[in-house]
Amino acid sequence: MDFKPLVTLLAIVNPLAIVPFFIHYTQGFSTPQRQRTVVVASFSAFVVIAVSALLGLQILEFFGISLASFQVGGGLLLLISAMNMLNAQPAEAKPLTNEYEDGAEKAARGASIAVVPLTIPLLTGPATMSTVVIYAEKAKTFLQLGTLVGYGMVIGLATALCFSLAEPISRVLGKTGINVMTRLMGLILAALAVEVMADGLGKLFPILRH
């Protein structure tokens, strides 16, 4: 297990791009409320990745879905996410939905927005889950699978760090800096998405390997 899964997950989750959402949703929160939101969102992101790594393949088997088909579908999701990021949008956000407004309404009502929409779908959504499942299949030993779960912990810690330092990050980078970082991550993700899709298509159509 190399660092490619970690790089891919960092590119998809990209907590830096979610910092403006975090600031918007937590406006008017007390310091303890904001700290609780940081902890819950970070832990939830880790849980989503860990569950996908440990149970994702069993779920595919239950529904009778081949990994090759899942790789092509998952790669397509990654490519769509990359296109979002190249347009300076969060990878998991859907441009035509009201996630931003819905989150603001929840915050106004005092409801927890740490899990929805911060963790799901803004931080970890279908593209993140499919990526983890694809790499879980490549894990041949328990140690490698444990490493993948450990990468989920790294993502959770990175999320906690970015959200805890949201205000300084926003001041230093500004909207332009965050957009540049998001586009750079999107370019990396697009290349990784093509690689995943090519691997899946090669398994579905062996003639393409020649």
Side-chain angles (χ1 to χ4, degrees), residues 13-202:
V13 177
N14 192 13
L16 271 179
I18 312 301
V19 164
F21 289 84
F22 175 80
I23 293 173
H24 179 79
Y25 292 159
T26 56
Q27 282 180 353
F29 278 27
S30 65
T31 300
Q33 284 177 318
R34 183 170 291 204
Q35 289 174 343
R36 176 174 172 77
T37 301
V38 170
V39 171
V40 173
S42 304
F43 182 72
S44 298
F46 162 69
V47 168
V48 169
I49 293 172
V51 170
S52 299
L54 298 174
L55 300 177
L57 291 174
Q58 287 79 356
I59 293 172
L60 285 186
E61 187 177 339
F62 177 80
F63 286 105
I65 301 171
S66 72
L67 183 72
S69 299
F70 192 78
Q71 280 183 293
V72 175
L76 186 58
L77 274 175
L78 290 181
L79 195 56
I80 292 171
S81 296
M83 296 303 295
N84 282 343
M85 294 173 72
L86 287 170
N87 288 316
Q89 298 288 330
E92 299 285 13
K94 302 173 185 62
L96 299 181
T97 63
N98 296 319
E99 286 159 4
Y100 192 93
E101 291 80 2
D102 290 346
E105 288 176 10
K106 281 190 176 184
R109 293 197 305 267
S112 172
I113 45 81
V115 177
V116 179
L118 271 183
T119 302
I120 302 172
L122 289 178
L123 284 169
T124 56
T128 304
M129 297 176 200
S130 58
T131 299
V132 175
V133 173
I134 290 168
Y135 281 116
E137 190 274 338
K138 299 179 184 294
K140 303 303 181 186
T141 66
F142 182 78
L143 179 60
Q144 289 178 330
L145 189 61
T147 301
L148 188 58
V149 173
Y151 287 162
M153 190 175 296
V154 173
I155 297 298
L157 292 173
T159 300
L161 182 63
C162 287
F163 284 0
S164 297
L165 301 175
E167 296 288 351
I169 288 173
S170 182
R171 284 197 301 270
V172 172
L173 291 181
K175 186 173 179 61
T176 301
I178 290 175
N179 286 348
V180 168
M181 289 289 294
T182 300
R183 286 190 169 100
L184 179 60
M185 291 290 191
L187 188 60
I188 295 171
L189 187 59
L192 292 167
V194 171
E195 186 175 292
V196 170
M197 289 179 67
D199 190 32
L201 287 169

